[in-house]
Amino acid sequence: MSSSQYSIDQLISAKSIAARVETLAKDITNYFLNTEKLIVVGLLRGSFVFIADLAREIDLPIEIDFLEASSYGNSTESSREVKILKDLAGEISGKDVLVVEDIVDTGHTLKHVLQLLNSRNPRRIEACALLDKPTRREVEIKSRWTGFEIPDEFVVGYGIDYAQMNRNLSYIGKVRFNKQ
Ligand code: IMP
Ligand code: MG
């Protein structure tokens, strides 16, 4: 789809995101305060900008790892079937783990990932999602930390894509599809 077929309206400014990320990182730091080491797991690819900012504000010894679960492909509809495309590089057994997600939408992705990682017996595991669309939920799942709750809109920017584009926007915008 060429960019003339949709436009992007700002929903959350870069400044608001930065302020919220700072607060989230403080809460996460307090929660895991006495950890030996926190494994921060980013879900690829949408969380890469968020995890970069969040990790730099977390005042704990941390390790970064990534996991890739299948997403929407190039459509705006969730497939509901979650596949692991790239697994973690490291072990998490007995460790403290923070899963960092861009958006919780239907909840299938986060639920599947948390179930999988829980089966590896981490010491503690919690999730932090930048965005949450609660009205879209199909399975019961809640991340311990959420940046912003948003309405049922398709969003892009700050790492989040539409058909792999617009990840480099510094703000979060909603996609407005132009009528043909
Ligand atoms: P869920 O499994 O339905 O919760 O979907 C979660 C994944 O769908 C997120 O990690 C995103 O990659 C993708 N997703 C959900 N909503 C949006 C959106 O508005 N824009 C871009 N990707 C989205
Ligand atoms: Mg994703």
Side-chain angles (χ1 to χ4, degrees):
M1 184 183 255
S2 79
S3 59
S4 63
Q5 289 174 279
Y6 66 93
S7 42
I8 299 166
D9 300 330
Q10 180 173 290
L11 190 64
I12 308 171
S13 70
K15 213 174 151 189
S16 308
I17 298 170
R20 188 74 187 111
V21 168
E22 202 183 316
T23 308
L24 289 170
K26 282 202 179 106
D27 293 348
I28 291 163
T29 300
N30 286 334
Y31 183 84
F32 288 106
L33 205 54
N34 296 315
T35 190
E36 226 172 82
K37 182 168 67 181
L38 179 65
I39 316 284
V40 181
V41 172
L43 301 196
L44 293 171
R45 281 170 258 175
S47 73
F48 83 103
V49 176
F50 181 37
I51 201 175
D53 285 345
L54 187 70
R56 283 179 292 177
E57 299 278 348
I58 296 176
D59 191 14
L60 297 170
I62 68 168
E63 207 176 276
I64 306 280
D65 207 339
F66 291 100
L67 186 143
E68 185 172 15
S70 59
S71 68
Y72 287 10
N74 285 345
S75 108
T76 58
E77 275 302 304
S78 171
S79 61
R80 284 172 189 86
E81 191 202 336
V82 182
K83 290 191 214 102
I84 301 301
L85 304 179
K86 183 209 168 289
D87 206 338
L88 297 178
E91 302 285 328
I92 58 164
S93 167
K95 308 265 178 67
D96 285 330
V97 179
L98 176 72
V99 175
V100 178
E101 171 65 310
D102 54 356
I103 309 179
V104 184
D105 187 32
T106 64
H108 289 283
T109 306
L110 190 60
K111 186 172 187 192
H112 183 92
V113 167
L114 286 175
Q115 269 171 357
L116 173 76
L117 299 185
N118 254 314
S119 73
R120 297 177 186 174
N121 302 312
R123 178 166 174 262
R124 286 184 286 187
I125 181 163
E126 297 294 345
C128 175
L130 177 67
L131 304 175
D132 187 356
K133 297 183 193 172
T135 60
R136 295 262 306 163
R137 200 72 87 257
E138 290 177 7
V139 290
E140 217 177 294
I141 191 91
K142 187 101 190 104
S143 55
R144 179 172 285 271
W145 299 283
T146 299
F148 303 89
E149 285 196 355
I150 60 167
D152 181 10
E153 301 275 2
F154 199 80
V155 296
V156 292
Y158 197 70
I160 301 164
D161 73 304
Y162 173 48
Q164 299 308 327
M165 299 298 289
N166 306 117
R167 293 191 195 272
N168 57 330
L169 294 176
S170 58
Y171 58 91
I172 289 169
K174 62 180 180 186
V175 174
R176 188 155 39 85
F177 296 94
N178 299 328
K179 300 216 166 66
Q180 292 307 299

